[in-house]
Amino acid sequence: MTNLQPFDKMPFLNTAVVLLVGQEEKCVKKIVDAMLKAPKNFEVQIHVAPRLPLPKENEHLRPRIDMVVFIINFFSQPTLSELLSSLSKLDSHFFLGKVCFLEVRGGHVNQYGPKKITVQKMAETYQSPLLFLSPDCEEDVACVAHRLLHMLQICAGLVSGVSALDMVSVVKSPVF
């Protein structure tokens, strides 16, 4: 098992690689399907892992990962603890615009619950975007997939004049 690093391998031409980390299998499948169906002008490779670190075996075959998306189930405590454990397995350079948190919601959501505040604070602490997904709504899944693809395209360096560091501007800035 090894820590994941963003610049340890060379990128492929006109290709972006995303790693989805989470144990929400139904949700991950819907996101993957929507990302693959969406129109795009670059090739996308999607890898899925329930948690980090990734196994050391076949590491030499693994492509460079351009963006990591942590999928959090709002109502699952194990998901939250797995996320906290996985965050420590990422190289700090990933937190320069190459990490996104995706909160899965379903049913009635308490806007001010303690888990909600924890996830928001985590996203703010790591200065990473926080997206919300209702997996039962196909329109919502398509919208989130489109946003993830756009962010991935930027993280992979496929948008001229924009870098992954600009992703920090997506995050809510403090009000003075």
Side-chain angles (χ1 to χ4, degrees):
M1 305 269 183
T2 181
N3 286 357
L4 198 56
Q5 298 179 345
F7 304 111
D8 61 342
K9 298 180 181 183
M10 293 296 293
F12 293 119
L13 184 64
N14 203 30
T15 301
V17 181
V18 64
L19 175 64
L20 302 176
V21 179
Q23 297 183 1
E24 297 298 311
E25 291 179 25
K26 278 178 40 180
C27 179
V28 169
K29 181 172 178 8
K30 286 184 177 188
I31 294 168
V32 168
D33 290 344
M35 288 176 78
L36 293 174
K37 288 178 188 173
K40 52 201 159 298
N41 59 355
F42 60 100
E43 187 178 330
V44 175
Q45 291 184 10
I46 303 171
H47 297 266
V48 178
R51 70 188 67 76
L52 293 179
L54 298 174
K56 189 137 177 96
E57 63 216 25
N58 297 328
E59 184 178 333
H60 63 286
L61 299 174
R62 189 177 303 132
R64 179 180 91 166
I65 297 184
D66 297 306
M67 186 171 87
V68 178
V69 178
F70 288 100
I71 301 171
I72 308 153
N73 183 340
F74 187 72
F75 296 104
S76 173
Q77 185 61 37
T79 301
L80 203 52
S81 58
E82 286 284 336
L83 170 71
L84 293 171
S85 172
S86 292
L87 283 171
S88 66
K89 306 301 184 211
L90 276 183
D91 185 76
S92 61
H93 289 97
F94 264 107
F95 296 105
L96 298 174
K98 294 181 172 279
V99 171
C100 175
F101 295 99
L102 177 62
E103 184 178 309
V104 178
R105 295 179 166 185
H108 176 66
V109 177
N110 180 358
Q111 294 283 333
Y112 303 102
K115 291 181 188 176
K116 172 81 175 144
I117 293 169
T118 302
V119 173
Q120 285 179 335
K121 284 188 179 185
M122 199 176 333
E124 289 173 12
T125 300
Y126 291 105
Q127 294 187 347
S128 299
L130 173 61
L131 302 178
F132 302 96
L133 174 69
S134 296
D136 298 330
C137 176
E138 293 299 321
E139 195 174 287
D140 195 27
V141 172
C143 181
V144 168
H146 178 71
R147 290 188 72 184
L148 287 174
L149 284 171
H150 186 64
M151 290 167 47
L152 176 61
Q153 188 177 18
I154 292 169
C155 290
L158 301 175
V159 177
S160 59
V162 182
S163 79
L165 289 174
D166 294 325
M167 297 300 285
V168 176
S169 67
V170 173
V171 180
K172 180 180 163 186
S173 57
V175 178
F176 296 102

